[in-house]
Amino acid sequence: MNTTIGKSTGKVTLLSAGPGDLDLLTLKAAKALASADVVLLDDLANPEIVTLAPQARVIRVGKRGGCRSTPQAFIERLMQRYALKGLHVVRVKGGEALLFGRAGEELAALRGAGIPVEIVNGISSGFAAAAGLGISLTHRRHCHGVSFITAHTEDHGEPDWAALAATRTTLAIYMGMRRIESLATALLASLPPDTPAAVVQWAGGANERRLLTRLDRLAADAALEGFGSPAVILVGSAIGESVERGSEGSEEWRENPAAMQTEARVADDRVAQAA
């Protein structure tokens, strides 16, 4: 730990660690970690990220839905305590810190204590999931936008799924696996049963898993394939553009691997003829 810092107030960096692949970190993130005195590490961040902060004291402050978590108030006190000692505190958050990462609460607490705060953006798991599927969340043939949603409101209720379905945007649903059956049922009241849907678990990581299905089979297929948290649920016609569904987005591709082999042979024949 750097012991040359004076007694003046230090600072806190809210650092977005992205979906897990360290290659996706920004240069700004790497520089912040290299200068860190204290790293508060989130459970959803790749633990190997600490190798980029060789001089820092590492404190694990995990927060996972459905698991025992470090209280938010305690994390805020830790940031204040070390920053007020003149240290550079890097609060490492999985994904994008400003998207469902409680950054608003932490910013308010730090600013209230007169502590300078820097924000380093990163790649959210919703974008990593889309990249894995090979789709655009805002494909203009299908929608005019994307809605990022948490399935858990502050009062432990659920969002207005009917209103969200009416937006005709691609729905990127975070923290929804424990409610996947109820949210799918609610969306089916407003959307067609064959609306394309997907689940991407550990998006952007080495162990990423992807499920392509349709809204009326979403919950059943996810359960059958053993999908769980952390995962992003994507719903909307743009999901049907996934390269894993084939050029026509046919359900046949999901259920009949022979169709892919046939199409591959046709493509090879076309290449041979062109040559």
Side-chain angles (χ1 to χ4, degrees):
M1 183 179 295
N2 187 348
T3 60
T4 64
I5 295 178
K7 294 182 179 180
S8 60
T9 301
K11 70 173 183 177
V12 173
T13 299
L14 299 185
L15 188 144
S16 307
D21 186 348
L22 295 186
D23 288 343
L24 296 178
L25 286 173
T26 63
L27 290 174
K28 190 172 185 178
K31 290 176 182 178
L33 287 162
S35 67
D37 296 298
V38 178
V39 169
L40 302 183
L41 184 63
D42 183 77
D43 263 359
L44 292 179
N46 184 336
E48 294 181 6
I49 198 172
V50 300
T51 62
L52 301 176
Q55 68 178 2
R57 175 182 179 182
V58 178
I59 303 173
R60 301 181 185 280
V61 288
K63 295 187 74 64
R64 294 283 299 276
C67 302
R68 186 175 180 179
S69 300
T70 305
Q72 182 64 30
F74 179 71
I75 295 173
E76 292 166 11
R77 288 197 298 272
L78 281 178
M79 289 190 289
Q80 292 176 20
R81 178 192 308 167
Y82 288 112
L84 289 173
K85 290 181 178 180
L87 303 176
H88 179 198
V89 181
V90 177
R91 167 75 165 108
V92 176
K93 295 171 173 285
E96 163 55 52
L98 303 183
L99 193 61
F100 307 128
R102 297 201 177 186
E105 298 167 46
E106 295 177 2
L107 287 167
L110 293 166
R111 289 169 179 164
I115 298 171
V117 186
E118 179 182 31
I119 300 170
V120 177
N121 297 117
I123 297 175
S124 174
S125 56
F127 291 108
L133 293 169
I135 61 169
S136 167
L137 295 175
T138 57
H139 196 310
R140 64 180 183 175
R141 292 181 185 173
H142 299 281
C143 62
H144 59 266
V146 55
S147 298
F148 296 97
I149 308 144
T150 173
H152 297 265
T153 59
E154 188 175 18
D155 62 358
H156 304 293
E158 294 198 22
D160 186 339
W161 296 112
L164 289 165
T167 65
R168 300 299 174 183
T169 60
T170 301
L171 305 182
I173 305 168
Y174 291 63
M175 296 169 280
M177 293 306 293
R178 295 180 66 189
R179 296 183 173 183
I180 190 169
E181 185 171 357
S182 64
L183 71 85
T185 299
L187 287 172
L188 282 168
S190 304
L191 295 174
D194 61 352
T195 300
V199 178
V200 182
Q201 186 174 16
W202 294 109
N207 52 348
E208 177 180 297
R209 300 178 65 209
R210 300 185 291 269
L211 168 69
L212 284 157
T213 182
R214 41 189 275 170
L215 186 56
D216 61 347
R217 296 208 301 257
L218 175 61
D221 286 351
L224 181 65
E225 299 295 333
F227 277 74
S229 298
V232 179
I233 301 167
L234 301 173
V235 178
S237 60
I239 312 306
E241 293 286 337
S242 174
V243 292
E244 295 191 9
R245 295 176 71 94
S247 59
E248 300 301 321
S250 170
E251 281 295 312
E252 181 183 22
W253 285 72
R254 181 180 177 278
E255 297 178 349
N256 183 9
M260 289 190 288
Q261 297 175 2
T262 300
E263 183 64 22
R265 286 195 297 271
V266 171
D268 289 342
D269 290 343
R270 289 174 180 169
V271 171
Q273 292 171 5

